[in-house]
Amino acid sequence: MAGNAQCLFCRIASGEIPAKKVHEDADVVAFHDINPQAPTHVLVIPRKHIPMLNDLTDADAATIGTTIVRASEIARELRLHEDGYRLVVNNGEGAGQTVFHIHVHVLGGRGFRWPPG
Ligand code: 5GP
Ligand code: ZN
């Protein structure tokens, strides 16, 4: 899948920019977030450059399905699956999206009950 030369996450996926990768295969790349919001904070990205949820069509169903399945496998490998973990996808600046290559945050190692308490 052709990368977008302007895109940070395409450049991480291609290896042009280094990251602490925890997994990569033909479809997805996963790496530790540079500014972790939890004891474990991994980003899982499809190699395909899709900017955000707003852009999804049925043609992306397999890509997004694989990305979430891989996120669950990585969470298990990182031993997050018993205590619980959270997947987050931010859509748009108003939601805090800063990198416009779709990605799933895998957050674990602390509590995420909602509402808190
Ligand atoms: P967003 O806010 O777009 O949902 O998430 C983007 C995430 O990418 C942020 O949590 C941010 O810390 C992370 N990030 C931004 N630049 C880099 C980078 O160069 N390397 C890594 N590993 N993470 C990054
Ligand atoms: Zn990209």
Side-chain angles (χ1 to χ4, degrees), residues 67-117:
T67 304
I68 291 179
V69 172
R70 290 290 172 276
S72 75
E73 292 168 350
I74 290 160
R76 180 177 291 272
E77 283 162 15
L78 296 174
R79 312 302 301 168
L80 303 177
H81 61 297
E82 285 173 348
D83 287 348
Y85 61 92
R86 176 171 289 181
L87 302 186
V88 172
V89 183
N90 295 319
N91 183 80
E93 287 174 14
Q97 187 177 5
T98 57
V99 178
F100 287 80
H101 178 129
I102 202 164
H103 49 279
V104 176
H105 296 259
V106 181
L107 297 150
R110 64 170 170 84
F112 292 100
R113 284 192 188 87
W114 192 262

Side-chain angles (χ1 to χ4, degrees), residues 7 10 49 101:
C7 171
C10 284
H49 180 82
H101 178 129

